[in-house]
Amino acid sequence: MPYRAPISDYSYILNNVVGFSQVAGTEKFAEASADMVEAILGEAGKLCEEKLAPLQREGDLKGATLENGVVRTTPGFAEGYDGIKEGGWVAISGDPEFGGMGLPMAVTTAVNEMMSSACLSLQLNPLMTQGQIEALEHHASDDLKALYLPKLMSGEWCGTMNLTEPAAGSDVGALRSKAEPNGDGTYAISGQKIYISWGDNDFSENVCHLVLARLPDGVPGTKGISLFLVPKYIPDENGNPGKANSLKVVSLEHKMGLHGSPTCVMQYDGATGWLVGPEHGGMAAMFTMMNNARLGVGVQGIGAGEGAYQHALAYALERKQGRSPVENGTGAIIDHADVRRMLATMKSDLFAARSIALACAVAIDMGNATGDREWKARAAFLTPIAKAFGTETGIRVAELGVQVHGGMGFIEETGAAQYSRDVRVTAIYEGTNGIQSMDLVGRKLMDGGEAACALIEEIVEQAEAARAQQPRMAEAVWNATEALRDATEWMVSQTDMNERFAGSVPFLLGWARVLGAHFHLRAACAEEGDGPRTRLARFYIHRLLPEHAAHFAHATTGAADLYALSPDDLSAA
């Protein structure tokens, strides 16, 4: 089934739902007019439809391999990457001083989603580079910026992120990688890193690794970690790839999905690296990259879900099965109520997740353009929700896509199962969704709930304004928001963080449900008459929004009943 980029959806959300006009109204992003953004999205959509989407199945069937220490990528991936590189799509939001387009993160977010729908395995490559670009822009020395940023932004060189080690997963502070000063401003980096997405390839001139390691005087834990830029090939005096560095790919992980994306075990043996940011300041620099990547990974989930939805919809429109239960039906399975329910759930949840991600991107853009503390706080608050709900939505939509196909969904030849296998890891990497929820109830409520309450008041005001136009939907959103307010106040009142953590996941999902309803209601109010967006909003608000009550009941139960269950209680009988 050919993929079609949902350009109209992005345009509608940007123009009518998440307030992108505020971004275009700033001096920094004054050139990002509605017409320009639509033209850019149109060009990116063509790339995704014509060059990247045909690679989706190839990446699954003919994944990356390691031959004599050299990574061989899926046939066609090099040409697909060339299309990304030549279009300048790696550095959409990059600083124009170093060759970037300088466009808002909201535009990058939409483009990244399209690429994820078309071929998630390949899109993961530029996503890693984008994160490295942002980290270097904020933390690298002027010399490193001048040498590396133009190459990364042009796509000639690719970037990676090296955090995880065999004994240091989410507990990054337990890492053992070492950095020894060489006496000439460089450092010798030694250690092993695992789960390194796109740790190597056979189509870029160089691969630049951002590596966390500890200096000899680094204290234990995260406060003693530094960040280093370690290239595969050390640049020569002209800035071109020179001699090979002392690093290698030890092996590729055997994964349930994303076969086209080489996930590497990397070994560093005294490899030459350059310090990024201050000594022992590695976590602050790395979090710049990770926060960028968290929104990007949420969008990957949405993109994979969009691909799964389009795949399932095409099948439902064509598959003949049984007698149609509706008068003048098509005779295809889309006539059946349960199939219609699944498709409506998929589409409405994708709209909700997409709107949350774009709202997060708009907040990032406004924070960058204005320096306003409230916009930055909103971006920080929305990031874990965008990441977790975007990926949970992608997983759920891909699962429903298999179900819509029925028995054929379990047969690999249809391609439905690939979306489910590929998207599953997005809930795990860049901080598991459990970690995202703990961040939401922890760091993001350290302001006493100020950023959360500002969002709640905005949702309430919009619901009240919508009463005249959409009274039933507005009332449902208003009531759900009051439940959200109560749950948020309960979280803020808990001084024992474990009480918060015990209900953090349902709390995040409840927030996402209410935000999704808020954006659906906005979409309905911006439409004339009882159109498709209004009908979709009605489905979401009346059928999916009620889930918020169960989420908040779970979220505010506390931790006692969890710890009343002993390990023996949880053991198999």
Side-chain angles (χ1 to χ4, degrees):
M1 185 218 77
Y3 165 72
R4 291 291 175 261
I7 305 297
S8 62
D9 221 31
Y10 301 131
S11 297
Y12 193 89
I13 292 171
L14 289 172
N15 296 329
N16 300 290
V17 177
V18 298
F20 182 76
S21 60
Q22 298 171 91
V23 177
T26 65
E27 182 178 353
K28 182 177 180 67
F29 298 118
E31 295 184 4
S33 66
D35 288 344
M36 173 183 278
V37 170
E38 185 142 2
I40 290 170
L41 295 181
E43 286 302 310
K46 288 179 184 177
L47 169 72
C48 293
E49 292 171 356
E50 297 172 5
K51 290 190 175 182
L52 302 188
L55 301 173
Q56 166 81 351
R57 194 68 179 138
E58 284 295 296
D60 193 50
L61 299 175
K62 302 172 185 175
T65 58
L66 184 64
E67 299 176 3
N68 299 319
V70 178
V71 170
R72 303 296 185 193
T73 57
T74 298
F77 269 34
E79 291 75 14
Y81 182 78
D82 282 345
I84 296 171
K85 179 177 69 174
E86 291 163 6
W89 301 114
V90 176
I92 307 171
S93 297
D95 189 338
E97 179 183 350
F98 300 104
M101 293 188 191
L103 289 168
M105 180 58 68
V107 179
T108 295
T109 298
V111 172
N112 281 347
E113 191 205 310
M114 284 188 277
M115 289 187 182
S116 300
S117 297
C119 184
L120 182 57
S121 286
L122 183 54
Q123 188 273 338
L124 189 52
N125 181 295
L127 179 68
M128 293 293 96
T129 303
Q130 288 168 0
Q132 185 169 121
I133 286 169
E134 186 165 9
L136 294 179
E137 283 180 337
H138 284 85
H139 301 285
S141 67
D142 289 342
D143 287 344
L144 285 180
K145 289 180 185 178
L147 175 57
Y148 284 89
L149 284 177
K151 297 289 189 179
L152 290 166
M153 290 195 189
S154 69
E156 295 171 78
W157 296 0
C158 295
T160 76
M161 176 167 52
N162 286 235
L163 289 79
T164 308
E165 298 183 8
S170 299
D171 182 13
V172 179
L175 66 78
R176 298 176 181 176
S177 293
K178 297 178 180 179
E180 298 280 348
N182 288 324
D184 61 356
T186 67
Y187 298 80
I189 312 300
S190 299
Q192 188 176 94
K193 299 289 183 176
I194 62 173
Y195 304 152
I196 309 307
S197 298
W198 281 98
D200 197 14
N201 67 71
D202 54 3
F203 49 67
S204 68
E205 294 180 2
N206 208 351
V207 181
C208 308
H209 304 283
L210 279 181
V211 183
L212 288 178
R214 200 181 307 277
L215 288 164
D217 60 345
V219 299
T222 57
K223 293 182 179 179
I225 295 174
S226 300
L227 183 65
F228 301 88
L229 182 57
V230 187
K232 177 181 177 180
Y233 297 108
I234 299 173
D236 62 20
E237 63 276 7
N238 298 315
N240 298 314
K243 69 175 184 178
N245 211 341
S246 300
L247 58 89
K248 63 182 178 181
V249 179
V250 175
S251 63
L252 300 185
E253 303 291 357
H254 300 282
K255 302 174 294 184
M256 68 181 286
L258 289 182
H259 297 149
S261 168
T263 300
C264 303
V265 176
M266 302 294 302
Q267 182 68 37
Y268 298 87
D269 296 307
T272 301
W274 285 261
L275 183 67
V276 175
E279 292 184 356
H280 320 309
M283 287 306 294
M286 186 59 82
F287 265 111
T288 298
M289 184 173 186
M290 287 183 67
N291 283 331
N292 173 295
R294 283 174 174 171
L295 174 58
V297 170
V299 167
Q300 284 185 327
I302 300 165
E306 177 67 32
Y309 170 70
Q310 291 191 22
H311 207 72
L313 177 62
Y315 185 81
L317 289 167
E318 297 172 357
R319 171 65 168 160
K320 307 290 184 181
Q321 183 75 22
R323 181 184 301 174
S324 176
V326 294
E327 187 176 352
N328 299 320
T330 64
I333 61 172
I334 198 169
D335 291 347
H336 296 279
D338 192 56
V339 173
R340 194 71 65 94
R341 175 194 63 81
M342 289 189 284
L343 292 170
T345 298
M346 296 163 82
K347 187 172 179 64
S348 63
D349 252 351
L350 285 168
F351 183 92
R354 183 174 290 141
S355 297
I356 291 170
L358 288 172
C360 182
V362 164
I364 291 171
D365 289 328
M366 291 302 295
N368 288 338
T370 67
D372 185 86
R373 182 183 68 84
E374 292 184 7
W375 278 114
K376 291 184 176 181
R378 173 164 296 194
F381 187 83
L382 287 175
T383 294
I385 302 175
K387 192 277 181 183
F389 186 65
T391 56
E392 294 289 348
T393 295
I395 290 167
R396 178 60 175 154
V397 167
E399 179 190 25
L400 285 173
V402 172
Q403 192 72 15
V404 168
H405 281 78
M408 291 303 296
F410 201 65
I411 305 302
E412 286 288 353
E413 282 79 1
T414 64
Q418 181 186 345
Y419 291 104
S420 190
R421 290 186 286 101
D422 283 354
V423 75
R424 186 60 187 84
V425 73
T426 61
I428 298 171
Y429 59 31
E430 301 310 329
T432 66
N433 287 356
I435 289 174
Q436 303 304 315
S437 68
M438 292 167 70
D439 177 48
L440 180 67
V441 302
R443 289 187 184 90
K444 300 310 188 291
L445 292 182
M446 285 178 65
D447 61 356
E450 182 180 340
C453 289
L455 258 174
I456 288 170
E457 290 306 319
E458 185 176 304
I459 300 170
V460 168
E461 290 174 9
Q462 199 266 335
E464 290 176 345
R467 286 184 187 276
Q469 190 174 350
Q470 298 290 347
R472 190 178 168 206
M473 286 197 284
E475 181 70 13
V477 174
W478 191 93
N479 288 332
T481 309
E482 290 306 304
L484 171 60
R485 188 195 305 275
D486 291 343
T488 302
E489 290 175 351
W490 185 91
M491 281 289 176
V492 172
S493 72
Q494 303 307 303
T495 56
D496 182 343
M497 292 306 295
N498 223 28
E499 296 294 306
R500 299 190 191 189
F501 294 159
S504 61
V505 168
F507 180 71
L508 184 150
L509 294 176
W511 254 100
R513 271 283 167 254
V514 177
L515 281 170
H518 167 59
F519 292 130
H520 268 292
L521 183 58
R522 274 189 176 177
C525 290
E527 184 175 58
E528 292 185 11
D530 193 38
R533 299 188 185 280
T534 302
R535 293 192 290 272
L536 192 67
R538 191 176 297 125
F539 172 89
Y540 182 96
I541 290 171
H542 295 325
R543 291 178 180 261
L544 302 185
L545 176 60
E547 293 174 3
H548 80 274
H551 288 316
F552 293 141
H554 186 171
T556 56
T557 297
D561 58 346
L562 293 180
Y563 290 93
L565 291 163
S566 70
D568 287 341
D569 293 335
L570 297 172
S571 298

